[in-house]
DNA sequence: CTAGTTGCAAAACGTTTGCATCTTA
DNA sequence: TAAGATGCAAACGTTTTGCAACTAG
């Protein structure tokens, strides 16, 4: 599914889900689905503010909560507190965070389903899922040092 | 290294590092190294309060920050906001979090050094480390359901 | 002695909530 | 026109900070 199709898919599911379509919601969904930069709530808000002065941070959070509930978005943590969003691939997948500049990219490796299965068998836990993330120094920060 | 040896090791390194030894610091270090429950700052504070009424939450945080800086403690996130500590094995290692009760245990599987190496080669990032964590339902919560 | 550590309370931070107003369907 | 979404501002929980008092070395 390409990006535009996914924007439409999410908007359609939102209406089905009983939600109304407002300019604010459409704009927030678009940024979350289109951005590859894994933006935080604040970043989504600031990106849209020039074009949508009628947008509040609270609405960004409310839209994010709705998308999360619908399973169309996942959250990820960086630096402990900051929550970033990934509305492109709304399932657990590995991320690679630069410890210098904080940028986040997706990692092109297989997902750790096998690991989760192994842990479930070893420990007796049920419904086990794995979250795999990586930290490192991105090429740009390397060349700057 | 057994637990008591590790307590002494951390306290010794703290003095070398230019720090003074106070009853508060010794107590906080002891809990962080001895506990297998991956306590939060609040939990460390409440565990010590009966014995150390002269302890404040601010001191727990300050001691944790010092230990982190010294590399003798790692932080881990649960539910996005809550930060728990692991002063027993102060290097990245897999944790298994119960999504019902929030308990955290260490996972007995090999660390993902190989994965980190693979990612470093694929992406060109430097100093890559992996953080691997698991979510599931612990046996106790399963039997309660 | 004195530089480092403490507790307290206030501030900071990101996130959530209550509510009156406005808008979508 | 009525259910639902909005912006604002206040509340929230956790973490950090400024500062005067204290204490380890």
């Amino acid at each position: 599914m390409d990006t535009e199709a996914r924007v439409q898919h999410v908007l359609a599911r939102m209406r089905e889900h009983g939600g109304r379509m407002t300019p604010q919601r459409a704009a927030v969904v678009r940024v979350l689905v289109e951005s590859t930069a894994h933006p935080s709530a604040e970043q989504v808000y600031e990106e849209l503010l020039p074009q949508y002065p009628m947008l509040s941070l609270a609405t960004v959070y409310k839209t994010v909560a709705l998308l999360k509930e619908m399973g169309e978005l996942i959250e990820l943590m960086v630096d402990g507190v900051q929550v970033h969003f990934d509305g492109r691939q709304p399932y657990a997948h590995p991320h690679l965070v630069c410890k210098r500049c904080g940028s986040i990219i997706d990692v092109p490796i297989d997902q750790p389903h096998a690991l989760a299965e192994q842990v479930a068998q070893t420990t007796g836990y049920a419904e086990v899922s794995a979250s795999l993330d990586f930290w490192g120094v991105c090429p740009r920060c390397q060349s700057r040092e």
Side-chain angles (χ1 to χ4, degrees), chain A residues 8-31:
Chain A
Q8 297 307 325
H9 164 79
V10 173
L11 293 178
R13 278 212 60 214
M14 212 167 203
R15 288 190 206 94
E16 287 166 27
H17 197 262
R20 289 180 184 169
M21 195 41 52
T22 63
Q24 291 92 332
R25 281 191 174 177
V28 169
V29 165
R30 184 163 292 278
V31 168

Side-chain angles (χ1 to χ4, degrees), chain A residues 58-77:
Chain A
T59 295
V60 174
Y61 278 109
K62 284 168 186 167
T63 306
V64 161
L66 181 59
L67 290 171
K68 200 172 17 166
E69 195 186 310
M70 290 164 52
E72 295 288 356
L73 170 145
I74 59 163
E75 289 180 324
L76 52 146
M77 315 305 143

Side-chain angles (χ1 to χ4, degrees), chain A residues 45-61:
Chain A
Y45 175 66
E46 290 188 351
E47 179 168 339
L48 288 173
L49 203 54
Q51 260 194 293
Y52 297 85
M54 286 282 97
L55 176 66
S56 72
L57 198 47
T59 295
V60 174
Y61 278 109

Side-chain angles (χ1 to χ4, degrees), chain A residues 40-115:
Chain A
S40 65
E42 187 73 35
Q43 285 166 346
V44 171
Y45 175 66
E46 290 188 351
E47 179 168 339
L48 288 173
L49 203 54
Q51 260 194 293
Y52 297 85
M54 286 282 97
L55 176 66
S56 72
L57 198 47
T59 295
V60 174
Y61 278 109
K62 284 168 186 167
T63 306
V64 161
L66 181 59
L67 290 171
K68 200 172 17 166
E69 195 186 310
M70 290 164 52
E72 295 288 356
L73 170 145
I74 59 163
E75 289 180 324
L76 52 146
M77 315 305 143
V78 180
D79 276 347
V81 190
Q82 191 78 314
V83 177
H84 292 242
F85 308 108
D86 194 329
R88 291 178 72 79
Q89 307 175 85
Y91 44 82
H93 62 277
H95 292 95
L96 172 51
V97 183
C98 177
K99 24 186 166 179
R100 299 284 184 272
C101 67
S103 67
I104 307 173
I105 66 170
D106 292 329
V107 178
I109 68 168
D110 291 343
Q111 284 161 246
H113 286 140
L115 287 171

